[in-house]
Amino acid sequence: MSELPPCPECASTFTYEDRDLLVCPECGHEWSPAADGGGSTDGLVVRDANGTLLSDGDDVSVIKDLKVKGSSSVVKVGTKVKNIRLVDGDHNIDCKVPGIGAMKLKSEFVKKA
């Protein structure tokens, strides 16, 4: 049995294979063993509503009124969000929205500012 590499996110040695990915049971990070040890955002391609490539630290603006789940708040059209962070998943943008706080957004509802 070959020895699997430690998790690039938390350095856990308890990684395991799941189909063509390696998975860390401690932090939940998944990565491809063919990748050169990079994090999940190295190969992550995220595009905004216009098809423009987004990257960590970009500023975006919201193109549609978005209801905030579990609250009566609404993120209005044109709200500028600064210094985004790209993550893997359905909601692929982590950010702090002015007046609302930390939340996750889908890239299909923003455009690069």
Side-chain angles (χ1 to χ4, degrees):
M1 185 170 176
S2 66
E3 186 174 324
L4 297 173
C7 175
E9 295 289 315
C10 71
S12 170
T13 57
F14 300 112
T15 57
Y16 64 91
E17 289 181 284
D18 185 18
R19 296 189 185 141
D20 59 346
L21 294 176
L22 294 176
V23 181
C24 175
E26 292 185 12
C27 70
H29 179 66
E30 297 178 351
W31 72 99
S32 170
D36 296 330
S40 63
T41 58
D42 289 346
L44 188 62
V45 176
V46 178
R47 298 188 181 275
D48 69 0
N50 297 330
T52 306
L53 191 63
L54 296 173
S55 60
D56 286 343
D58 281 347
D59 296 344
V60 296
S61 59
V62 179
I63 62 166
K64 176 183 175 184
D65 281 350
L66 302 173
K67 294 179 183 177
V68 179
K69 191 173 185 178
S71 168
S72 61
S73 303
V74 175
V75 180
K76 294 288 190 178
V77 171
T79 302
K80 273 195 112 165
V81 180
K82 296 181 180 180
N83 198 17
I84 64 170
R85 187 171 63 98
L86 302 179
V87 294
D88 220 359
D90 186 32
H91 291 72
N92 47 10
I93 297 175
D94 269 346
C95 60
K96 289 186 181 176
V97 178
I100 298 199
M103 65 185 304
K104 293 186 175 212
L105 297 173
K106 290 186 177 183
S107 59
E108 61 199 58
F109 299 120
V110 299
K111 68 177 181 178
K112 192 169 183 176

